[in-house]
Amino acid sequence: MGVAELAAGALGRASSSPLLAVGAGFIDLTPAWLKEFAVRRFGSNDKTVLLIGLGTGIAVAAPAIGLLGRHRLAWGLIGLAAFGVVGVVAALTRPVAEPLDAVPAAVGALAGMAALTLLTPGTRRRPTPAPVSRDAAHGTATPAGGDATGATGVPAAGAEIGRRRVLLTGAGVIGVAAVSGVSGRALVRRGDVSSARADVRLPRPAVPAPPVPAGAQVRVPGMTPFRTSTSDFYRVDTALVLPQVDPRDWTLRIHGMLARPVELTFDDLLRLALIERDITVSCVSNQVGGDLAGNARWLGAPLAPLLRRAGVRPGADQILSRSSDGMALSTPLETVLDGRDALLAVGMNGEPLPIAHGFPARMVVPGLYGYVSATKWVVDLKITRFATDQAYWTKRGYAERAPVKTFSRIDVPKPFARLRAGPVAVAGTAWAQHRGIDAVEWQVDGGPWRPARLAPAPGIDTWRQWVAEWDAAPGSHTLRVRATDRTGTTQPERRSPPFPDGATGWHSVVVTVT
Ligand SMILES: Nc1nc2c(c(=O)[nH]1)N[C@H]1C(S)=C(S)[C@@H](COP(=O)(O)O)O[C@H]1N2
Ligand SMILES: [Mo]
């Protein structure tokens, strides 16, 4: 594994590391229910959990292969070769694979086979039997106890040498593995674009964001911030290795059903009239009460005029966007052209996009779930038809058209909180991006719905906070919330899972009042 990491580092292709390639392949083969489970259970830590799982699998398989090889060397070698084949297949089936990506897994498997051969007793010259001892000569020798003893059953000098050699070879193998693994990771980090990101100077927006009204932030302790800080912004993607895209090499190809296809460099993009907008992005995998949503201030170029200038051909209904790591997302074209602020974003909360959030450029379309709109590390937009092209998640059965569902959440008090009887602030967040939240109602123990006070918001593309005062009486209570958007649609009571187009249901919180 260490030698394979070194090879991947030398190639400068992190995604060809067998560990990461197998992990990425695993993500792609993960059925929707398991993906939902992983995101629900582990949220943005899902990838760490996957890597720990893979590491555990290897930690179990490697000694098993070693023991097999001890039994019969050929079996151990076959086991390692099988590992290698899995790694090669995984690396070559990545969407952006190159033939050279087969090298790390193959070299790693060969190194493993060499190490196993060196370490397997019996493959070296057998230790020369020690001179027959007197005891043995008198016929009291115990039966031979395997490789570690001489033929006479007495620990032999040759066996000592053999053992020492195994220990030295073992230490050597561990040393090579550690040094190559660590230097491989270091070589991969050479490709890190953090310093290129630090050099980016974003222009001022031609159109600044509408001011966030005073009072958008409800003043209740423990309440979610109206603006999500970049470090707290949720992250959901299939990228086990963060794509490292240097803005100096970045281009965006816009092609397909267009009269005049275009290709933009990063400087071209920065020269466009950029606008700044507060937009809430949310994930289809968000469960009722979940936190896979964030509200940031995005700086970007409006996408619609770019497409109009390129001349969209009649019949097109989809933008198939691709990221540098080969991920494909599909977006309904009409939503991007209907006047909303669909952006090619370069800035987030006043800084260049963080690498984890799509540096140097990503899409942001208010009102659509992330998987049909928010392509990070975007490098290619193909104007096409849903009948012709499918994207990663739509191929897996998720909806092609996935407007964000009207959603509300109780943020305070927290589930199972213990509260003092008397006035208690109940507060939370509601969203229905690009329709806007019109009302939030709350209830106690299934009683009548009461209107909550809605905080103002800068527009219909962000979430809105709400607050209510509850005169809490002692006992155990269930608080519930539901929102209504400006089209008059009320969040339905019926609970449904995120697959295939977003979860539904009322959020409830149980608290104890004393
Ligand atoms: N390249 C790429 N872009 C992507 C994804 C992805 O897997 N790869 N995931 C999408 C999904 S499902 C969501 S919810 C948003 C999340 O954006 P964030 O990680 O910046 O919060 O990114 C979208 N853009
Ligand atoms: Mo998502």
Side-chain angles (χ1 to χ4, degrees):
M1 302 289 307
V3 168
E5 287 306 312
L6 179 58
L11 286 177
R13 291 181 60 84
S15 60
S16 70
S17 135
L19 182 67
L20 298 178
V22 168
F26 190 89
I27 292 175
D28 289 356
L29 296 176
T30 299
W33 63 266
L34 184 55
K35 179 232 168 207
E36 289 305 341
F37 168 80
V39 173
R40 179 168 71 241
R41 194 72 191 66
F42 307 115
S44 295
N45 295 322
D46 53 348
K47 292 176 192 73
T48 314
V49 172
L50 172 61
L51 288 177
I52 291 172
L54 280 176
T56 310
I58 291 164
V60 170
I65 289 176
L67 290 174
L68 264 184
R70 216 184 135 82
H71 193 67
R72 185 168 288 181
L73 180 59
W75 294 356
L77 296 180
I78 290 172
L80 285 167
F83 248 61
V85 168
V86 170
V88 166
V89 169
L92 290 182
T93 50
R94 296 283 75 231
V96 287
E98 291 174 7
L100 268 184
D101 290 347
V103 169
V107 171
L110 288 176
M113 290 159 89
L116 184 66
T117 308
L118 278 174
L119 285 169
T120 303
T123 56
R124 301 173 309 276
R125 224 158 35 83
R126 281 197 156 270
T128 34
V132 176
S133 73
R134 213 176 317 143
D135 275 358
H138 289 280
T140 56
T142 45
D147 284 321
T149 57
T152 59
V154 180
E160 264 314 317
I161 293 170
R163 187 180 295 135
R164 193 177 310 144
R165 198 150 77 191
V166 168
L167 287 175
L168 284 177
T169 316
V173 165
I174 291 172
V176 168
V179 169
S180 53
V182 168
S183 36
R185 298 308 302 164
L187 284 173
V188 161
R189 270 193 302 267
R190 256 189 341 190
D192 186 282
V193 293
S194 305
S195 70
R197 176 174 176 269
D199 291 342
V200 168
R201 291 284 161 268
L202 293 177
R204 290 182 168 282
V207 188
V212 174
Q217 178 69 54
V218 160
R219 306 256 162 240
V220 171
M223 186 52 193
T224 307
F226 178 77
R227 166 100 57 87
T228 313
S229 69
T230 303
S231 55
D232 287 342
F233 208 94
Y234 81 97
R235 175 187 163 203
V236 170
D237 55 57
T238 58
L240 199 50
V241 193
L242 275 183
Q244 304 288 330
V245 184
D246 193 316
R248 287 164 295 209
D249 306 328
W250 181 86
T251 59
L252 176 68
R253 210 159 75 89
I254 310 180
H255 63 109
M257 299 172 70
L258 292 176
R260 294 167 294 279
V262 284
E263 190 162 329
L264 295 175
T265 65
F266 194 61
D267 284 335
D268 293 339
L269 182 56
L270 295 191
R271 270 193 293 270
L272 297 171
L274 304 185
I275 66 172
E276 201 167 33
R277 289 287 182 269
D278 292 318
I279 298 169
T280 299
V281 177
S282 54
C283 181
V284 70
S285 299
N286 192 49
Q287 301 277 346
V288 170
D291 57 5
L292 295 178
N295 182 45
R297 179 160 288 187
W298 308 95
L299 173 74
L303 194 47
L306 269 176
L307 297 182
R308 290 229 169 73
R309 244 175 288 149
V312 177
R313 293 236 169 85
D317 61 5
Q318 185 203 157
I319 304 177
L320 184 73
S321 51
R322 272 185 194 283
S323 61
S324 66
D325 63 342
M327 178 69 179
L329 278 73
S330 60
T331 308
L333 182 62
E334 77 266 10
T335 54
V336 168
L337 296 179
D338 73 359
R340 71 185 77 196
D341 293 319
L343 300 179
L344 269 175
V346 293
M348 179 180 187
N349 292 335
E351 283 177 27
L353 292 176
I355 296 172
H357 293 289
F359 179 75
R362 74 176 300 173
M363 281 173 50
V364 174
V365 183
L368 300 180
Y369 282 122
Y371 84 98
V372 284
S373 66
T375 318
K376 306 192 273 189
W377 316 288
V378 65
V379 293
D380 190 287
L381 302 182
K382 179 183 178 191
I383 309 307
T384 178
R385 286 187 238 258
F386 279 108
T388 319
D389 285 297
Q390 271 92 49
Y392 188 92
W393 291 115
T394 53
K395 268 184 202 155
R396 287 161 173 77
Y398 282 82
E400 288 175 344
R401 284 159 220 278
V404 170
K405 292 191 174 160
T406 301
F407 218 82
S408 61
R409 190 176 74 186
I410 300 169
D411 295 343
V412 183
K414 306 290 176 211
F416 310 116
R418 304 185 71 84
L419 310 165
R420 282 274 170 75
V424 167
V426 181
T429 311
W431 58 87
Q433 296 95 298
H434 208 62
R435 297 188 300 280
I437 289 291
D438 198 41
V440 169
E441 298 162 289
W442 67 294
Q443 66 168 200
V444 183
D445 301 328
W449 287 103
R450 319 175 205 184
R453 186 177 70 75
L454 270 181
I460 57 173
D461 292 340
T462 69
W463 57 24
R464 259 182 112 166
Q465 302 194 340
W466 59 270
V467 63
E469 196 180 273
W470 173 35
D471 190 15
S476 171
H477 299 288
T478 303
L479 304 172
R480 283 209 283 189
V481 66
R482 69 177 186 193
T484 301
D485 65 33
R486 290 192 181 161
T487 69
T489 307
T490 298
Q491 186 178 351
E493 176 174 14
R494 197 176 64 85
R495 287 256 176 161
S496 60
F499 182 83
D501 61 356
T504 62
W506 293 337
H507 185 216
S508 61
V509 164
V510 176
V511 296
T512 309
V513 180
T514 52

